[in-house]
Amino acid sequence: MLQSRLSRRPDMGDRVRVSFEFFPPKNDEMETRLWETVKRLEPFAPRFVSVTYGAGGSTRERTQRTVTRIKAETSLTPAAHMTCVDASRGEVDAVIADFARSGIRNFVALRGDPREGVGASYRPHDDGYANGAELVAALRRAGDFDISVSAYPEKHPESPDFATDIDMLKRKVDAGATRAITQFFFDNDTYERYVERVRRAGILVPIVPGVLPIHNFAQVANFASRCGAHVPAWLARRFEGLAGDPQTHMLVAAAVAAEQVHDLVERGVGDFHFYTMNRADLPVAICHMIGLRPAEQRQALSAA
Ligand code: FAD
């Protein structure tokens, strides 16, 4: 049984499309690492690569610089994340216009977290867009953009219940979003149940799973608890005792993420968004394990 499931897996690369998420680098060293990562991931021909936007627009210039450089120097399609935090409608509209002038057509539209960080209570700017749906509408008014939004398989921590949460997703899609990318999760049944709920609500856009390769389990567990993502006991057990053994930690992380993606492909999922943390090793290993090959290797294989 196991063998027959494994033997189907080499074909998966044909059915899978990926996108990668980066954050804008803070200093020269981080900039070098980001560009090494971008160059290593480019041959996997992602659908797009996205660049996050810091709380309160704190990374606005760095986000803009990073997306425009990706556009100018690579074959990739960059997507700019945008948030509504601490900005008036006029300021947000000006940022959208700036991106559009630089030729950016893809956006990830978010309400964003307060400047104080995840968990602090959110208060919209007096004259600002109140949530993701209002930002999507502003983007839609500004141009014929490809607009992704967030989705929360375990519901957003501020949502009182799933109905409220899914209602916000519906408002974002009705305002013009073309796809939703999920918060990371580790239990694929949770994702599947969520997609069923979303479809029952009449939302038909792709719900692309966000996959977080676990570079550092302790950090991920801490972050997950703040953004409402459950870390199952079996996952904690896999990383138990590995804090001081980075090599084994990396191998286990690659296996865990590849296993999650394999299982989702077997459930019919074809699109994946990887939170890369600006590191290529795990995304490259996972792409390889699910059958994706860099463009030149694909060409050489098909010519052979
Ligand atoms: P929304 O979709 O507007 O709302 C999220 C949920 O909160 C809704 O489901 C809704 O039920 C509830 N809610 C909102 N308003 C109300 C209200 N008035 N009353 C009751 N419930 C309400 N953050 C950044 O700062 N920068 C980034 O680049 C970034 N990128 C992200 C990318 C992805 C794929 C994801 C999943 C998240 C990202 N985030 C980012 C995090 C995100 O900003 C936070 O999760 C934030 O708390 C919510 O933003 P949102 O766009 O999901 O909000």
Side-chain angles (χ1 to χ4, degrees), residues 225-247:
S225 70
R226 284 181 292 139
C227 54
H230 174 62
V231 176
W234 62 261
L235 186 64
R237 185 118 178 85
R238 294 244 177 118
F239 288 94
E240 211 170 61
L242 295 183
D245 181 354
Q247 260 184 323

Side-chain angles (χ1 to χ4, degrees), residues 19 48 108 148-151 179-183 206-210 273 275:
S19 52
F48 62 89
V108 182
S148 303
V149 291
S150 57
R179 89 176 53 69
I181 301 171
T182 76
Q183 181 62 281
I207 309 293
V208 179
H273 183 77
Y275 296 106

Side-chain angles (χ1 to χ4, degrees), residues 21-22 50-56 81-85 108-114 118-119 122 124 130-134 149-152 155-169 171-172 180-184 210 223 227 273 275:
E21 182 171 309
F22 306 121
S50 74
V51 180
T52 61
Y53 198 79
H81 290 221
M82 286 201 58
T83 73
C84 320
V85 183
V108 182
L110 304 139
R111 183 200 71 181
D113 283 313
V118 183
Y122 184 82
N131 52 46
E134 291 193 6
V149 291
S150 57
Y152 297 90
K155 83 177 183 58
H156 187 275
E158 286 169 47
S159 297
D161 48 45
F162 270 103
T164 314
D165 198 85
I166 290 173
D167 183 54
M168 176 59 80
L169 179 60
R171 284 165 59 191
K172 293 189 285 193
I181 301 171
T182 76
Q183 181 62 281
F184 65 86
F223 185 59
C227 54
H273 183 77
Y275 296 106

Side-chain angles (χ1 to χ4, degrees), residues 82-96 110-112 122-142:
M82 286 201 58
T83 73
C84 320
V85 183
D86 284 351
S88 68
R89 287 161 195 249
E91 285 162 343
V92 171
D93 292 349
V95 177
I96 297 171
L110 304 139
R111 183 200 71 181
Y122 184 82
R123 190 174 167 276
H125 185 285
D126 287 343
D127 181 34
Y129 295 118
N131 52 46
E134 291 193 6
L135 178 57
V136 171
L139 282 160
R140 194 41 82 224
R141 281 194 299 275

